[in-house]
Amino acid sequence: MEMESILGFLENKTILVTGATGYLAKIFVEKIIRVQPKVKKLYLLLRASDANSALERLNKEVIRKELFKVLREKYGESLSSFVSEKVTAVAGDISYEDLGVKDSYLRNEMWREIDVVVNFAATTNFDDRYDISLGINTLGALHALNFAKKCLKIKMLVHVSTAYVCGEDTGLILEKPFCMGKAKKGTSKIDIEEEKKLIQQKLNELLSENASDKAITEVMKDFGIERYQGVKLINLKARVYGWPNTYVFTKAMGEMLLMHLKEDLSLLIIRPTMVTSTYKEPFPGWIEGVRTIDSVIAGYAKGKVTCFVSNPQSNLDVIPADMVVNGIIVAMAARRKQSSETIYHLGSSLRNPVKLSNIHDFSFRYFSANPWINKDGMPVKIPKGTVFCSMASFHMYMAICFQLPLKALQVANTMVFQKYQGTYATLDRKIKLVMRLIELYKPYVFFEGIFDDMNSEKLRAAAKEKVPEEADGFNFDPTGIDWEDYMMGVHIPGLVKYVMK
């Protein structure tokens, strides 16, 4: 694989970043303007109604974050003018054609100047409304592609997907593309145009019934579930597509559109696994938002999670966010020479796996030594917790400890003329929420796949051989991570500082 200077590739480049307020996108932007101040321009697409609103979001949700403290220390009071020179906030919305950019002068300027489009935009909620997920994760990818094709100097489109588009595949999962319309299971063909029509029909139906916003949201969430799980609630006809949630289903369809319609445009698809806090850059432990595994760690620390549903020996494929960003940038630099690889897995399960039991142990040890202080100022003492190694054992536990007592409360409530209705409704809602969350996370806590990263390994080797003086600064090799040191000394402290505060 050929590769020239990574910093040289970034110099004088104009890059469009979509989803610019997202976690990875912010780290990507910070990295580029920190290590290559000679980048020409970064256009950041932000969902906003106008330029002033976009600029306000840029400053509030990106530049003022602690993530940029290294740049603030470097530039001091001149950081604002430097950012103004290098970064342009663009009001738009990826779910629309031309990315929803209404300013025709700015749009034409972008088409003239942009060299690279990097699409970070996504809704990552597992059970988001189907119309929203399809609009951003699927059609948004298509809109990014069409916009890139209109850029006169375009070198490539970089699309950030997820490794879990694999669904519930097992064994060694290769870095290979999807065939257009091919489902993971069964023989049904996925027709994205038909999915769009079904969504519109469902929305029209709800609007004609004067459904509330809350009702529309719940129905559209369930509509996504029936589409990806393959159960058509309207006529009970199975349409087995084979993805575990709306997020990965719509991301997979986005990849299908890109591969099918890219024509001669150079395309990179980056598939990170579960992204965690920064490993080293710009400093260790920065994180934003409760990510997949972190919701469990945070709940455990606060005493709200006392049991775990998982196969303790299953691998948990996690990768620090700055390594993902480094991998993206190195892939961009290598693509300059038209390398043949298109898809890159960025993860750890093949070369440096960590088990779910390790994460449980690290969390127990950390919060035993550094207990969470609750709102009453008292330290939360955490138990080791019960681990259910199968869904059957968890369902039995829930039935005996919660659902049967709830049923008894329901009977008692009926006998005393709904005296306990409020208590019953609250407990019923909580139990249903727990069961829904367990169903959503089940594919990942019992995941039996390992992500092959041969293409990513070729990138690492090429960087070390061709640009050894830059390789350390763009490290994305998971073999160097000591998981105990990282989780207990970097990630969990970062989670406490930036998310659980």
Side-chain angles (χ1 to χ4, degrees), residues 310-365:
S310 66
N311 177 356
Q313 297 309 305
S314 289
N315 290 330
L316 184 72
D317 199 316
V318 292
I319 188 77
D322 51 333
M323 286 195 172
V324 175
V325 165
N326 287 342
I328 292 170
I329 296 172
V330 174
M332 288 163 55
R335 193 65 176 179
R336 181 183 187 180
K337 284 294 186 179
Q338 296 297 306
S339 59
S340 59
E341 291 80 10
T342 299
I343 296 173
Y344 295 93
H345 281 154
L346 297 177
S348 59
S349 58
L350 181 67
R351 300 181 189 278
N352 187 14
V354 59
K355 296 187 182 301
L356 279 162
S357 58
N358 297 137
I359 302 299
H360 182 192
D361 179 60
F362 299 153
S363 301
F364 174 71
R365 288 161 53 198

Side-chain angles (χ1 to χ4, degrees), residues 140-157:
L142 177 61
H143 297 153
L145 174 68
N146 290 337
F147 194 91
K149 286 181 178 179
K150 295 177 182 178
C151 296
L152 302 179
K153 297 164 54 182
I154 193 70
K155 307 292 189 300
M156 70 190 75
L157 166 64

Side-chain angles (χ1 to χ4, degrees), residues 14-22 24-33 39 41-48 50-51 53-64 67-68 83-84 86-94 99 101 106 109-110 114 116-121 147:
T14 297
I15 302 171
L16 168 63
V17 179
T18 71
T21 59
L24 282 176
K26 277 187 270 217
I27 297 172
F28 177 83
V29 169
E30 191 278 340
K31 173 84 176 192
I32 287 182
I33 59 178
V39 67
K41 176 74 75 176
L42 294 176
Y43 288 105
L44 304 190
L45 185 75
L46 303 106
R47 186 177 295 176
D50 55 44
S53 299
L55 184 59
E56 184 179 347
R57 284 199 72 191
L58 170 67
N59 288 320
K60 181 180 179 181
E61 299 178 42
V62 182
I63 304 301
R64 291 177 191 163
L67 173 69
F68 285 76
V83 169
S84 296
K86 296 295 181 181
V87 179
T88 297
V90 179
D93 188 332
I94 198 167
L99 307 183
V101 180
L106 176 59
E109 175 189 293
M110 293 166 70
I114 287 171
V116 180
V117 174
V118 186
N119 180 30
F120 285 100
F147 194 91

Side-chain angles (χ1 to χ4, degrees), residues 381-433:
K381 186 175 181 180
I382 56 169
K384 184 69 174 177
T386 304
V387 178
F388 297 99
C389 299
S390 70
M391 289 300 292
S393 60
F394 173 73
H395 284 144
M396 183 177 294
Y397 165 77
M398 289 296 293
I400 294 172
C401 296
F402 296 97
Q403 290 166 328
L404 285 177
L406 184 67
K407 189 67 176 177
L409 178 61
Q410 183 184 28
V411 172
N413 187 44
T414 303
M415 295 174 65
V416 295
F417 307 103
Q418 310 299 312
K419 181 179 179 180
Y420 303 115
Q421 182 59 30
T423 302
Y424 170 78
T426 299
L427 292 173
D428 183 54
R429 185 174 63 253
K430 287 182 177 180
I431 290 172
K432 286 177 179 176
L433 176 61

Side-chain angles (χ1 to χ4, degrees), residues 36 78 101:
Q36 184 45 286
S78 65
V101 180

